[in-house]
Amino acid sequence: MIVLAALVAAGALACRKKAPPPPPAPPPSRPADVVVEGIVPDPSSAWTKGRQLLGLIALPLPRSAFGLAAELLATPPELETSLEPGKPLVAIGCGDRCFAGAWGLDDPARLPTFAKDRFALASHDGAQWLGAPIGGTTALRVPVGFVDRFLVVGEPATVGAHSDYLLRGLARRTSSADVHLEVRRSRHANVVAALDRLAALADAKPYPDAPSAFATTTRALADLEKGLRAWSTADRPIEVELSVASDTLTIVARPLDPAGGAVTAAVPGEVLRGWIQARVKLALP
């Protein structure tokens, strides 16, 4: 009888061990106010490719992706050592001056200890924020804080309202492109303004010594703008991917709804570099 009971108990234990794990929690739904969302799967690789594409023009620019972000945000450069290599940079835009971004961290427990010597710390909605600078520390241009295993930027209220989607939604996605964008409200004024700037690029006149590929490139950009404009007018969600390879920036855009179709524009490095140099010369007195 004792042996039989032991066998039954062992069988029950084996059944419990073989029980399938609970299904993963579904990804959080997209907040209704999101206009555009972006993923840079490997910021270091993407910025390295971008610098190579720009050539000598990139020499004055920061050598790392975080260096570029730190220059724009006045973020302490020491934070770069706390970022986790290979983790994506994700961001959402939700209207005029309304955005939130997140970047994976290597050891978040160290950050408050480092930051408290240079900034007052404040806690809001589960995040710690760098507050007023101490001593001669430069003030931040954009609020910067820490939540879970991420460095976050944006107004605390905006980050708090979107952090679940940023950290459990966007940050878990993958993409083969260097930069992946999804425009969810393509008729928004900011999207239309961006299309106006793209139209101006497509209408650019040849600069001195422009390569033969210049005309082909501007025609491709014009076709890209035309497709994006049509989708925007219909308020269709749009996916845009940017990839750099073989000294060429390739832009692929397509609607996210089933009635798709894609438009592709390739911008050779020589055209991009020449165009930037010509713009700089025009800006000089």
Side-chain angles (χ1 to χ4, degrees):
M1 198 69 177
I2 296 175
V3 173
L4 179 60
L7 290 174
V8 171
L13 181 60
C15 289
R16 283 202 299 271
K17 286 183 178 180
K18 293 179 181 179
S29 58
R30 180 181 300 103
D33 63 345
V34 170
V35 174
V36 61
E37 56 193 44
I39 310 168
V40 185
D42 188 339
S44 178
S45 173
W47 183 234
T48 297
K49 291 179 182 179
R51 284 178 55 86
Q52 291 171 348
L53 185 69
L54 293 174
L56 295 176
I57 299 171
L59 286 178
L61 300 176
R63 300 191 65 83
S64 71
F66 182 83
L68 179 66
E71 194 168 281
L72 295 173
L73 305 175
T75 305
E78 293 88 342
L79 289 178
E80 182 168 11
T81 60
S82 296
L83 293 171
E84 189 167 349
K87 289 294 183 181
L89 169 64
V90 297
I92 58 99
C94 47
D96 294 333
R97 299 181 181 275
C98 176
F99 79 97
W103 204 336
L105 295 170
D106 179 45
D107 184 5
R110 290 169 39 209
L111 293 175
T113 303
F114 155 76
K116 72 180 182 180
D117 296 330
R118 299 174 61 181
F119 295 89
L121 294 179
S123 296
H124 298 290
D125 299 324
Q128 283 192 298
W129 295 90
L130 300 181
I134 297 173
T137 302
T138 303
L140 301 174
R141 297 189 184 99
V142 177
V144 175
F146 319 112
V147 56
D148 294 338
R149 295 188 59 84
F150 291 87
L151 175 73
V152 293
V153 296
E155 291 297 330
T158 303
V159 173
H162 299 84
S163 62
D164 193 41
Y165 183 64
L166 275 172
L167 309 187
R168 294 203 308 111
L170 279 183
R172 295 182 180 181
R173 290 194 199 165
T174 59
S175 174
S176 59
D178 292 311
V179 178
H180 184 104
L181 302 173
E182 291 186 10
V183 183
R184 289 291 169 174
R185 293 165 57 194
S186 62
R187 206 156 48 190
H188 191 275
N190 288 353
V191 177
V192 174
L195 292 178
D196 291 340
R197 291 192 289 272
L198 177 59
L201 286 178
D203 196 38
K205 305 304 179 190
Y207 50 84
D209 301 321
S212 58
F214 180 84
T216 305
T217 302
T218 53
R219 285 196 298 270
L221 289 176
D223 290 341
L224 176 67
E225 186 271 336
K226 182 179 178 180
L228 289 168
R229 185 82 64 177
W231 300 330
S232 171
T233 301
D235 203 21
R236 297 169 69 181
I238 304 166
E239 175 184 64
V240 181
E241 295 181 328
L242 290 79
S243 302
V244 178
S246 302
D247 197 38
T248 301
L249 170 65
T250 301
I251 308 168
V252 180
R254 61 179 69 87
L256 283 166
D257 51 43
V263 180
T264 301
V267 183
E270 62 175 351
V271 173
L272 181 61
R273 292 187 292 269
W275 183 84
I276 293 175
Q277 289 170 339
R279 298 288 294 182
V280 170
K281 288 179 181 178
L282 284 174
L284 293 175

